[in-house]
């Protein structure tokens, strides 16, 4: 495994030169057997992409991943990719994400949650696979589909649920909402509604990590930033600007594309001239990797290497995770444009079911242990809902708070003093 | 110049002549003159040396010494890590600045002109201005966006817009518009030290102008308060509010009005958001007439906001309708004579002040 991932090979070679396995020649695609069918949804689209992939087998490293996995599985005494504790941690995190999002849907239809709510069902492998490898000081920047990123990063379910209900006990005191989850403590930098907006922010956080190490001389600062965004974002200018600058300045960042093939109702294939997003990495001088985003173990392996690269100071990586969202774009989306066959195809590859199967087949965990985790998570989510229900709404005095860190920005009143010094200011009765 | 000063000293009470006398005093003791460019450069230099978290980022700020030479010498002094030349990616580097500011660094992001800030306006408004609120105080953004704003000379429609009104309408931002060297130094230092996003609108035509600066201004801890306007010239008959380059025009207009017996009070706004409504209203309550001057487009401009504020708070004190002088409601033309017509000139301010004082004046200017 280490050969394929050694730094020298990781960059922009078009074919794995030192790879000894012959399995690459068997499969026409870049990926080996288990992953060969998932790439494109409807049959006609699959054909065109087949030929494209035949012509441009750029990301040799991914071949190595799946082949290594295959090799490992074919040995008589397989060395497993994860330990039991890690497996249970991954399982619990994914089940938390799924149960939480399902509860969000219920709460939305009961009117407890409102506005725009974007659910993450089906994509849990990406969030869990990447974020569970991070330290607390590493940063995560997300989009509006950020509930599960927040949960994986460690924000308590209670805080996220209260925020969604708009209560003052939420992680942003009810001022952010579904699309704007921030947590200083867990280094979750949002939560942005505009696609592509989080990418420069993430690049800035990575910039700070490098600046702290080199200019402020905090020698042990090796914080890594992950930027999560979707396939639609990869056509946006800010994405390219940041690929360029991150590579130019060798910033410790991993750009994670959650390619779920759909941007609301716009298919990725209708919107993009070259749908293979991972190829855009080498154009900017960084490795581009394509991984099966429905398999948490594969995502985790790729994530380990990408995050390791960033931590060692070798620069950014672009990882395209091919995944799928089981629900519509948001709870207001009727989801009529997607082919039911496609949905069924991906539903059969549910990441949680896949991990469950892996754990039980390799005797890492028993059914009862996994069921116990399921039950525990149900209780956590129910508790979160109860907590959110019972929490108070923000008081009127909270309206003017937090506009500025230094509230003198509200100006000088008629008495010549700063308005924020008026005792009535935070009661919400002062005239601004 | 001295003759006018002597005339003033004869007829007026002590507080009113103080600003004039201080000018006289500073001339007689040969006070230092400093260009706005040098004052911005020295402010940046001092703030960068005081705090290693301050860094400058923008196009041509490093090796080119600044597109308008504002950051001259900073690259040699602080190195390429703290004075970063960026590719032409306003959205990208404005966002990088915001992300760095989330983690406590203090970026000074330079836009070559504020017209280019429109490429980054999503980050200025949606991530810088709103983050502290959306995160309930967890993510503050101590960033400064600076650069030249407004019309220069013959640069055409896409390089001449004034963005004061646009940015000042957004909560979560502080918008500053310095005029003199003292303003430039004090306000830039205040902006860099401020924990909130500040939009710092300079003016290209002012960069080369010299103003007298006192020793207090040259001190490295000098700072001006954000949200306080300055009364540049005390008067009795009409209040003229202006910001940035228009302050110079207003002061010249005041001198011309003086000869016609109209004593104008000129207020240098310095801070557009928060607007110093109390100073403006106090002045209007004294003079009862108001002329607002700005370079930007008239609709929804700074003058409109000042007029609304005065109508809300000091309506009974107004003796005449508020006169609003703004740039012409057109994209900036290129031809020199048309450009002169599109930007407020001293004569326009004089005419407006006379109208406010009910003197008969011809309405339109000649081309």
């Amino acid at each position: 495994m280490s050969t394929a991932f050694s730094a020298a090979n990781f960059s922009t070679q078009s074919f794995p030169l030192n790879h000894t396995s012959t399995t690459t020649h068997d499969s026409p695609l870049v990926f080996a057997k288990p992953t060969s069918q998932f790439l494109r949804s409807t049959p006609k689209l699959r054909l065109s992409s087949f030929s494209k992939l035949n012509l441009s087998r750029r990301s040799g490293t991914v071949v190595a991943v799946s082949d290594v996995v295959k090799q490992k599985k074919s040995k008589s005494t397989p060395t497993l990719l994860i330990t039991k504790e890690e497996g249970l941690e991954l399982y619990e995190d994914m089940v938390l994400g799924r149960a939480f999002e399902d509860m969000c849907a219920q709460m939305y239809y009961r009117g407890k949650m409102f506005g725009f709510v974007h659910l993450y069902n089906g994509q849990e492998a990406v969030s869990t696979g990447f974020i569970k490898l991070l330290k607390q000081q590493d940063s995560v920047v997300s989009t509006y589909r950020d509930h599960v990123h927040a949960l994986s990063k460690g924000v308590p379910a209670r805080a996220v649920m209260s925020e969604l209900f708009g209560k003052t006990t939420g992680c942003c005191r009810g001022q952010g909402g579904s699309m704007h989850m921030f947590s200083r403590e867990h280094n979750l930098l949002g939560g942005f509604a505009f696609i592509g907006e989080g990418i420069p922010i993430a690049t800035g956080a990575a910039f700070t990590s490098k600046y702290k190490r080199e200019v402020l001389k905090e020698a042990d600062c090796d914080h890594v930033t992950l930027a999560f965004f979707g396939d639609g974002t990869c056509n946006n200018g800010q994405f390219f600007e940041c690929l360029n600058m991150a590579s130019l300045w060798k910033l410790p960042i991993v750009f994670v594309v959650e390619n779920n093939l759909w941007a609301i109702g716009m298919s990725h294939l209708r919107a993009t001239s070259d749908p293979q997003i991972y190829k855009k990495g080498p154009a900017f001088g960084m490795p581009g990797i394509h991984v099966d985003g429905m398999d948490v173990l594969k995502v985790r392996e790729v994530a380990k290497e990408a995050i390791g690269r960033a931590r060692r100071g070798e620069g950014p990586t672009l990882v395209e995770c091919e995944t799928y969202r089981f629900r519509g774009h948001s709870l207001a989306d009727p989801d009529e444009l997607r082919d039911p066959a496609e949905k069924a195809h991906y539903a059969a590859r549910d990441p949680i079911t896949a991990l469950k199967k892996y754990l039980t087949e390799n005797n890492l965990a028993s059914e009862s242990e996994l069921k116990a985790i399921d039950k525990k998570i149900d209780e956590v989510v129910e508790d979160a809902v109860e907590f959110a229900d019972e929490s108070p709404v923000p008081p009127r005095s909270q309206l003017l708070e937090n506009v500025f860190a230094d509230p003198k920005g509200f100006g000088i009143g008629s008495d010549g003093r700063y308005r924020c010094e008026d005792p009535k200011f935070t009661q919400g009765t002062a005239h601004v | 110049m001295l003759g006018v000063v002597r005339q003033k000293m004869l007829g007026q009470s002590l507080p009113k002549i103080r600003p004039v006398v201080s000018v006289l005093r500073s001339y007689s003791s040969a006070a230092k003159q400093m260009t706005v460019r040098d004052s911005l450069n020295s402010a940046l230099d001092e703030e960068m040396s005081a705090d290693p978290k301050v860094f400058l980022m923008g196009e041509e700020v490093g090796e080119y010494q600044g597109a308008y030479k504002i950051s001259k010498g900073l690259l040699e002094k602080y190195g390429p890590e703290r004075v970063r030349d960026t590719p032409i990616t306003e959205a990208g580097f404005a966002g990088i600045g915001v992300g760095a500011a989330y983690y406590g660094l203090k970026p000074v992001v330079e836009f070559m002109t504020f017209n280019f800030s429109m490429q980054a306006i999503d980050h200025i408004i949606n991530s810088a201005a709103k983050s502290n609120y959306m995160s309930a105080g967890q993510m503050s953004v101590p960033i400064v966006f600076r650069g030249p704003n407004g019309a220069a000379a013959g640069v055409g429609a896409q390089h001449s817009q004034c963005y004061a009104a646009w940015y000042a309408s957004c909560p979560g931002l502080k918008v500053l518009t310095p005029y003199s060297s003292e303003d430039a130094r004090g306000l830039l230092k205040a902006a860099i030290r401020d924990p909130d996003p500040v939009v710092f609108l300079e003016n290209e035509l002012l960069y080369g102008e010299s103003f007298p600066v006192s020793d207090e201004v040259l001190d490295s801890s000098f700072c001006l308060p954000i949200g306080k306007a300055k009364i540049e010239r005390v008067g009795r008959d009409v209040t003229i509010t202006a910001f940035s380059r228009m302050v110079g025009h207003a002061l010249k207009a005041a001198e011309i009005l003086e000869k016609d017996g109209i004593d104008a009070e000129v207020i240098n706004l310095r801070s557009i958001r928060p607007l110093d409504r109390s100073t403006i209203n106090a002045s209007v309550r004294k003079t009862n007439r108001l002329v607002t001057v700005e370079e930007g487009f008239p609709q929804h401009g700074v003058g409109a906001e000042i007029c609304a504020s005065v109508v809300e708070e000091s309506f009974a004190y107004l003796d005449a309708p508020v006169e609003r002088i703004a740039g012409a409601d057109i994209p900036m033309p290129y031809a020199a004579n048309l450009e002169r017509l599109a930007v407020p000139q001293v004569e326009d301010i004089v005419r407006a002040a006379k109208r406010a004082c009910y003197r008969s004046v011809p309405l339109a200017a000649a081309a």
Side-chain angles (χ1 to χ4, degrees):
Chain A
M1 184 154 124
S2 56
T3 50
F5 284 120
S6 63
N9 292 336
F10 207 78
S11 58
T12 56
Q13 283 179 344
S14 56
F15 204 80
L17 293 176
N18 59 349
H19 194 78
T20 50
S21 156
T22 54
T23 50
T24 44
H25 301 291
D26 295 339
S27 54
L29 295 176
V30 177
F31 306 95
K33 184 197 51 173
T35 60
S36 59
Q37 285 131 0
F38 79 92
L39 265 175
R40 294 292 179 259
S41 50
T42 53
K44 56 180 188 302
L45 297 170
R46 203 179 293 157
L47 281 172
S48 60
S49 57
F50 264 31
S51 52
K52 270 195 173 167
L53 281 171
N54 273 335
L55 292 172
S56 56
R57 276 186 282 182
R58 285 282 214 107
S59 59
T61 48
V62 193
V63 182
V65 177
S66 45
D67 279 326
V68 164
V69 171
K70 244 184 66 154
Q71 274 179 341
K72 283 187 183 286
K73 280 190 181 161
S74 61
K75 284 187 197 151
S76 52
T77 49
T79 44
L80 298 167
L81 289 169
I82 45 172
T83 65
K84 175 174 178 160
E85 292 78 39
E86 287 170 353
L88 291 178
E89 187 194 1
L90 295 179
Y91 184 76
E92 183 171 337
D93 193 55
M94 290 208 288
V95 171
L96 174 61
R98 180 68 61 88
F100 190 93
E101 297 292 71
D102 284 336
M103 183 60 80
C104 283
Q106 265 194 58
M107 292 297 116
Y108 189 86
Y109 294 128
R110 279 193 215 166
K112 303 255 183 90
M113 236 179 257
F114 35 89
F116 286 130
V117 180
H118 307 84
L119 298 181
Y120 201 74
N121 297 49
Q123 298 181 198
E124 294 87 359
V126 180
S127 175
T128 302
F130 268 93
I131 300 180
K132 282 304 171 194
L133 291 169
L134 295 179
K135 304 188 293 203
Q136 171 128 6
Q137 303 93 332
D138 294 326
S139 320
V140 167
V141 179
S142 178
T143 59
Y144 43 76
R145 207 178 295 283
D146 55 353
H147 306 167
V148 179
H149 294 135
L151 294 170
S152 293
K153 194 68 177 56
V155 182
R158 281 183 161 194
V160 181
M161 192 61 86
S162 300
E163 182 64 29
L164 293 170
F165 280 33
K167 300 294 175 84
T168 194
T169 46
C171 57
C172 295
R173 298 170 80 200
Q175 289 169 201
S178 164
M179 298 190 283
H180 304 296
M181 296 280 171
F182 290 85
S183 169
R184 165 62 71 203
E185 187 193 338
H186 300 282
N187 288 304
L188 173 71
L189 304 183
F192 290 100
F194 279 64
I195 60 153
E197 190 176 358
I199 307 178
I201 307 277
T203 314
F207 177 91
T208 308
S209 169
K210 191 153 192 254
Y211 189 94
K212 279 187 177 165
R213 193 172 58 238
E214 292 177 4
V215 178
L216 298 179
K217 307 290 181 215
E218 291 172 25
D220 53 351
C221 184
D222 61 351
H223 307 330
V224 167
T225 307
L226 299 185
F228 289 94
F229 47 94
D231 44 286
T233 310
C234 296
N235 298 325
N236 189 278
Q238 291 180 82
F239 169 62
F240 297 109
E241 293 184 8
C242 291
L243 284 184
N244 179 41
M245 285 193 273
S247 191
L248 182 67
W249 295 332
K250 277 183 132 48
L251 299 180
I253 183 172
V254 183
F255 295 102
V256 183
V257 184
E258 295 169 321
N259 183 354
N260 55 22
L261 301 176
W262 291 90
I264 307 188
M266 187 67 166
S267 154
H268 175 57
L269 301 158
R270 280 180 65 213
T272 317
S273 54
D274 185 349
Q276 290 159 346
I277 301 171
Y278 66 89
K279 283 159 72 174
K280 297 177 183 174
F284 289 92
M286 71 177 81
I289 308 176
H290 190 167
V291 69
D292 174 4
M294 302 306 270
D295 184 330
V296 66
L297 299 174
K298 293 202 184 92
V299 172
R300 194 180 153 88
E301 290 306 307
V302 168
K304 265 193 208 158
E305 183 55 31
I307 294 173
R309 233 179 83 82
R311 236 186 259 293
R312 289 189 297 269
E314 290 163 26
T317 315
L318 176 66
V319 180
E320 180 185 355
C321 303
E322 191 140 342
T323 178
Y324 201 76
R325 54 170 162 84
F326 294 156
R327 290 182 181 265
H329 165 74
S330 71
L331 287 172
D333 173 21
D335 196 17
E336 287 159 348
L337 289 174
R338 300 195 297 176
D339 186 6
E342 179 189 79
K343 292 191 218 177
H345 169 77
Y346 281 101
R349 300 180 49 233
D350 188 328
I352 296 178
T353 329
L355 181 65
K356 200 168 180 181
K357 191 155 167 268
Y358 183 88
L359 290 174
T360 45
E361 277 178 3
N362 290 293
N363 293 319
L364 284 172
S366 64
E367 282 276 347
S368 56
E369 282 177 323
L370 299 178
K371 277 213 163 42
I373 292 182
D374 287 341
K375 191 158 174 296
K376 173 179 160 209
I377 294 297
D378 279 337
E379 282 168 18
V380 165
V381 173
E382 295 252 356
D383 167 72
V385 172
E386 259 184 56
F387 175 76
D389 255 336
E390 287 161 13
S391 298
V393 288
R396 188 191 162 153
S397 58
Q398 200 180 307
L399 183 67
L400 296 177
E401 288 176 10
N402 302 129
V403 178
F404 289 114
D406 169 13
K408 295 196 188 97
F410 284 97
I412 295 172
S414 47
D415 55 357
R417 287 163 54 236
Y418 285 110
R419 287 184 200 278
C420 61
E421 286 166 13
D422 177 353
K424 297 234 178 56
F425 184 76
T426 49
Q427 260 91 71
T429 49
H431 171 57
V432 175
Chain B
M1 175 67 203
L2 284 174
V4 173
V5 165
R6 234 180 274 129
Q7 264 184 328
K8 279 186 188 297
M9 284 176 72
L10 282 175
Q12 295 177 2
S13 58
L14 194 59
K16 282 195 185 160
I17 62 170
R18 207 183 297 135
V20 180
V21 168
S22 65
V23 168
L24 174 64
R25 250 192 239 129
S26 56
Y27 274 124
S28 62
S29 65
K32 193 157 181 254
Q33 293 269 346
M34 202 177 195
T35 58
V36 173
R37 179 179 285 119
D38 287 337
S39 57
L40 290 168
N41 183 280
S42 62
L44 278 171
D45 193 353
E46 285 162 22
E47 291 304 305
M48 284 179 79
S49 77
D51 186 349
K53 298 204 281 290
V54 178
F55 69 95
L56 181 60
M57 184 160 65
E59 293 156 13
E60 310 295 1
V61 295
E63 293 191 7
Y64 198 78
Q65 310 294 320
Y68 296 99
K69 307 294 181 247
I70 304 295
S71 51
K72 190 167 177 176
L74 296 180
L75 177 65
E76 287 85 64
K77 231 178 149 178
Y78 298 104
E81 315 242 287
R82 292 187 66 194
V83 180
R84 291 245 169 193
D85 278 323
T86 60
I88 308 177
T89 47
E90 276 80 9
F93 66 74
I96 288 183
V98 176
Y102 276 5
Y103 276 106
L105 295 190
K106 295 186 167 209
V108 177
V109 174
E110 174 171 316
F111 292 116
M112 202 179 277
T113 74
F114 260 90
N115 301 278
F116 310 151
S117 73
M118 288 201 285
Q119 306 241 315
I121 201 167
D122 173 41
H123 279 288
I124 301 175
I125 308 272
N126 277 319
S127 45
K130 297 182 184 172
S131 280
N132 199 62
Y133 192 83
M134 288 197 295
S135 68
Q138 293 175 82
M139 312 285 171
S140 81
V141 188
I143 194 171
V144 176
F145 298 103
R146 51 160 290 271
N149 176 54
V155 291
Q158 293 184 349
H159 283 73
S160 308
Q161 189 166 337
C162 173
Y163 288 88
W166 282 28
Y167 289 121
S169 71
C170 181
L173 286 180
K174 296 179 184 171
V175 180
L176 302 177
T177 49
Y179 161 64
S180 61
S181 304
E182 176 188 339
D183 290 354
R185 255 182 78 81
L187 292 177
L188 186 55
K189 279 164 161 304
I192 293 175
R193 294 178 199 175
D194 195 278
D196 290 306
V198 179
V199 172
F200 193 82
L201 303 172
E202 304 158 3
N203 188 296
E204 197 223 320
L205 297 173
L206 283 177
Y207 283 154
E209 272 196 45
S210 283
F211 295 87
V213 283
S214 66
D215 290 331
E216 189 204 346
V217 173
L218 292 171
D219 183 61
S220 66
S221 55
F222 175 68
C223 210
L224 285 174
I226 293 182
K228 203 96 194 75
K230 179 181 179 198
I231 299 183
E232 295 278 350
R233 182 188 193 281
V234 181
R236 254 185 343 197
D237 297 326
V238 61
T239 300
I240 305 179
T241 65
F243 61 92
S244 191
R245 189 152 170 266
M246 296 292 124
V247 177
H249 284 11
L251 288 170
K252 290 198 194 101
E255 280 175 31
I256 296 174
L257 287 165
E258 178 87 42
K259 298 193 184 82
D260 282 320
I262 298 177
D263 188 20
E265 175 150 300
V266 175
I267 301 183
N268 172 5
L269 290 173
R270 280 184 171 172
S271 164
I272 310 293
R273 181 179 258 273
L275 197 57
D276 192 353
R277 291 165 217 271
S278 55
T279 300
I280 299 169
N281 278 286
S283 171
V284 170
R285 287 176 188 213
K286 182 175 69 168
T287 64
N288 310 123
R289 293 162 208 276
L290 177 62
V291 175
T292 66
V293 186
E294 63 184 304
E295 213 182 295
F297 300 135
Q299 188 166 347
H300 309 299
V302 177
E305 177 61 27
I306 295 177
C307 176
S309 167
V310 164
V311 162
E312 281 166 13
E313 292 177 33
S314 318
F315 184 65
Y317 292 83
L318 281 173
D319 284 347
V322 174
E323 295 284 338
R324 187 167 54 146
I325 301 290
D329 203 13
I330 54 169
M332 184 66 67
Y334 168 69
N337 65 326
L338 290 181
E339 193 181 23
R340 255 196 312 278
L341 285 177
V343 177
Q345 304 296 329
V346 178
E347 303 80 55
D348 297 314
I349 305 174
V350 170
R351 267 203 306 282
K354 284 186 178 171
R355 271 199 306 272
C357 296
Y358 295 134
R359 307 289 183 89
S360 58
V361 281
L363 266 183

